[in-house]
Amino acid sequence: MGNPGFRGRVRSFLSAVLIVLAAVLVPLGAIAAWAKTKIGSSDRYVAAMAPLAGNRAVRGEVAAKVTDAIVRNIDAGPLQAPVASLIGGAVRSFTTTSAFQDVWNTANRAAHASVLSALTHNGDGNDVRIDLAPAIRQIKTELEVRGVPFANEIPVEHTDLTVVESTKLGPVRTVFRWLRRVGVWGAVVCLAAASGAVAVAVRHRRALIGVGTGLAVGAAVLHILVAVGRSLTLDGLPADSDPSAAGAVYDALTDFLSTAAWAVLAFGLALALGAWLTGRLWKRGRPAAEGPRPGPVRAGSPDQS
């Protein structure tokens, strides 16, 4: 038979390794699952972007881009300024209607292909874009119904709202492709490592404290990565883009990661604190319940008969 002390040290070491592995896999597993299930799915992508139709910064950015695209193709002579003002007001009004929500969803469903292309294919020209042509088509129809001058001259053409330039996505592209391959398995292995760390440990309560702390640290790292990614994304915007609108888009797309980070952080801290408090209460209650354990009786002591 092996040395019990040696086996205990091996089990403690293996438990510690599994705790570290679980902590590392918290951010990697969450991001991999996000890349596979959120960004990789057209329906989930559109669902994440849909609420932005009500965001003031996003509506303002869309209205500005659409107005510029329309006015650029209209020659109203001396009436150019008032016509541009009229069209701009009509566009801003349109972005507050329920019809804009439908146009926005349609545009984002088409834009999903642009997102996947930008994140999976190398080379310039794979920017993350949203085509505003559906919005222009809808606005043109409404302006014609209202009898706005020159509305019939508005061309319905491909008009892009660039969210992120492809030249800024080099490192992100490589990581994204790898994470998509990992998919949800990162999260599965994370849970298996955390469970295994407790199962092989000599002291299960201490292992629970370690697992909870490791999960909390991993969640904090995930939160930091989301914040750093936001900063890098906004730094990579075109000069004529609105950072507030782009920030709203980023926050909508990474809401899954932010929610996961806070949830795992809360769970990890609760697990560690619960295990620690349980141990403290057990130690305090033990002497009262069991009383002091009798020590060994030495030969020749007065207690011996």
Side-chain angles (χ1 to χ4, degrees):
M1 295 179 66
N3 187 336
F6 175 74
R7 289 200 302 271
R9 288 193 295 272
V10 170
R11 290 173 61 186
S12 296
F13 174 76
L14 181 57
S15 177
V17 170
L18 290 174
I19 288 173
V20 173
L21 178 61
V24 171
L25 286 175
V26 168
L28 292 181
I31 296 174
W34 168 79
K36 181 71 175 179
T37 63
K38 278 288 189 181
I39 304 301
S41 167
S42 178
D43 289 339
R44 292 190 180 98
Y45 177 86
V46 173
M49 295 289 283
L52 293 178
N55 182 278
R56 180 174 298 180
V58 171
R59 291 203 310 259
E61 181 75 350
V62 171
K65 294 290 185 182
V66 170
T67 300
D68 289 345
I70 292 175
V71 173
R72 201 169 47 239
N73 291 282
I74 291 179
D75 182 10
L79 298 177
Q80 186 74 14
V83 169
S85 177
L86 180 63
I87 290 175
V91 172
R92 287 190 296 272
S93 177
F94 171 72
T95 60
T96 64
T97 65
S98 58
F100 176 68
Q101 180 72 69
D102 296 334
V103 169
W104 177 253
N105 290 345
T106 301
N108 277 290
R109 188 169 296 279
H112 180 251
S114 171
V115 173
L116 288 183
S117 177
L119 291 173
T120 56
H121 295 86
N122 296 324
D124 297 335
N126 288 315
D127 301 335
V128 179
R129 300 185 179 102
I130 298 176
D131 183 17
L132 300 178
I136 295 176
R137 183 180 300 108
Q138 184 74 26
I139 292 167
K140 177 181 179 179
T141 300
E142 291 197 5
L143 292 177
E144 287 177 335
V145 171
R146 295 182 188 179
V148 175
F150 304 100
N152 62 325
E153 296 183 10
I154 298 175
V156 179
E157 58 185 17
H158 188 81
T159 303
D160 286 329
L161 172 61
T162 301
V163 179
V164 183
E165 293 180 325
S166 61
T167 55
K168 310 292 184 179
L169 292 173
V172 176
R173 188 179 291 119
T174 302
V175 174
F176 181 82
R177 285 193 293 233
W178 181 79
L179 289 173
R180 283 193 75 194
R181 295 189 185 99
V182 175
V184 298
W185 287 107
V188 172
V189 175
C190 175
L191 293 175
S195 302
V198 178
V200 304
V202 176
R203 299 182 178 181
H204 298 305
R205 186 176 292 107
R206 181 176 295 181
L208 282 172
I209 296 174
V211 168
T213 304
L215 293 178
V217 171
V221 171
L222 174 59
H223 188 74
I224 292 172
L225 290 176
V226 172
V228 171
R230 190 180 197 277
S231 178
L232 294 175
T233 299
L234 297 185
D235 288 343
L237 288 176
D240 61 344
S241 295
D242 181 9
S244 298
V249 172
Y250 181 89
D251 293 340
L253 291 179
T254 59
D255 179 67
F256 169 83
L257 296 177
S258 298
T259 302
W262 287 116
V264 175
L265 178 64
F267 175 78
L269 291 177
L271 179 64
L273 181 60
W276 181 79
L277 288 176
T278 301
R280 297 289 293 180
L281 294 174
W282 183 81
K283 288 180 180 179
R284 288 183 179 181
R286 180 179 173 181
E290 300 179 1
R293 292 184 177 181
V297 179
R298 296 181 180 180
S301 66
D303 293 337
Q304 284 185 312
S305 57

